[in-house]
Amino acid sequence: MNTVRLIRPSIEFRDQYLSFYNDWISSGEDIVPWVVDRDPSDFEAMLEFIYSEDSEEKLTHSDWVPHSTYWLIDERDSLVGAVNIRHRLNQKLLNGGGHIGYGIRPSFRRRGYGSAILAQALQIIRQIGVDKVLLVCDKGNNGSEKTIVKQGGIFESEFTEDDGNIVRRFWIDMTIEERR
């Protein structure tokens, strides 16, 4: 798993992204994270959208937070996952979204990519300057919960969303020396 890496989305990985996107569509599952659920048929517009709110200065919605998206690429340059990192939290994210949302494409799961993408995302969020990171997963998503705990997540509470979905909330303290 040492050969996987996070990259910023770019036109050079168009074909890999389309394969990633079509894998999700074929699965019938919700695409995670939310930012990659956008139809990529106009690929350049999709890239503009991904970069459109990655700093405070670019925010167009008063209730949104700056966020950055990365793609996880394996040793064969296959796009196997995506992560959306929120630079700070608003009330909605504090309740049930967290600082980091990530997903591994369905055909690449159970190979350690979830742990890899989260570990690398935590390094990026440390560089942004976040000391306490909130991660959430749906109650019953045991794989995600194990991944979060493996990275140092400490369970705090559950939150029931408006649609009745229950999310479990975990905090990771980025100031702990072993995490450096």
Side-chain angles (χ1 to χ4, degrees):
M1 208 49 58
N2 292 337
T3 56
V4 297
R5 66 197 187 282
L6 288 179
I7 63 164
R8 293 302 309 252
S10 70
I11 195 77
E12 290 83 10
F13 285 88
R14 181 183 181 279
D15 292 342
Q16 293 90 329
Y17 184 82
L18 293 176
S19 175
F20 166 86
Y21 183 81
N22 288 326
D23 192 3
W24 278 100
I25 295 298
S26 296
S27 77
E29 298 177 28
D30 291 337
I31 299 175
V32 179
W34 70 274
V35 74
V36 293
D37 191 19
R38 189 176 185 92
D39 180 356
S41 54
D42 183 345
F43 199 76
E44 289 181 6
M46 186 203 65
L47 288 175
E48 283 181 32
F49 170 74
I50 286 175
Y51 284 101
S52 67
E53 295 189 327
D54 61 1
S55 68
E56 294 286 346
E57 299 77 34
K58 292 182 181 179
L59 290 179
T60 58
H61 305 289
S62 61
D63 56 341
W64 284 32
V65 301
H67 55 95
S68 301
T69 300
Y70 295 84
W71 294 340
L72 185 69
I73 304 296
D74 72 5
E75 63 279 352
R76 293 179 310 241
D77 282 341
S78 296
L79 200 159
V80 299
V83 61
N84 182 252
I85 300 171
R86 294 77 174 220
H87 302 193
R88 61 179 170 82
L89 299 176
N90 58 19
Q91 191 60 49
K92 181 178 180 180
L93 293 171
L94 181 62
N95 290 337
H99 282 98
I100 299 172
Y102 64 92
I104 303 300
R105 67 191 284 181
S107 64
F108 281 75
R109 292 191 185 141
R110 301 194 194 297
R111 300 184 199 176
Y113 291 117
S115 292
I117 200 169
L118 181 54
Q120 291 185 34
L122 288 169
Q123 294 308 310
I124 292 168
I125 205 161
R126 170 180 281 117
Q127 293 169 0
I128 291 170
V130 178
D131 289 336
K132 281 192 73 174
V133 177
L134 176 64
L135 289 156
V136 304
C137 65
D138 288 346
K139 186 174 184 172
N141 185 341
N142 297 329
S144 227
E145 186 169 331
K146 286 179 184 177
T147 299
I148 293 168
V149 169
K150 180 179 175 184
Q151 292 297 324
I154 305 296
F155 176 74
E156 180 189 71
S157 64
E158 292 182 347
F159 177 79
T160 304
E161 297 175 314
D162 291 340
D163 64 1
N165 184 52
I166 299 172
V167 294
R168 293 179 53 84
R169 302 170 69 250
F170 298 82
W171 288 95
I172 297 177
D173 184 348
M174 298 301 291
T175 63
I176 296 174
E177 192 60 36
E178 305 91 64
R179 297 213 50 84
R180 294 183 183 267

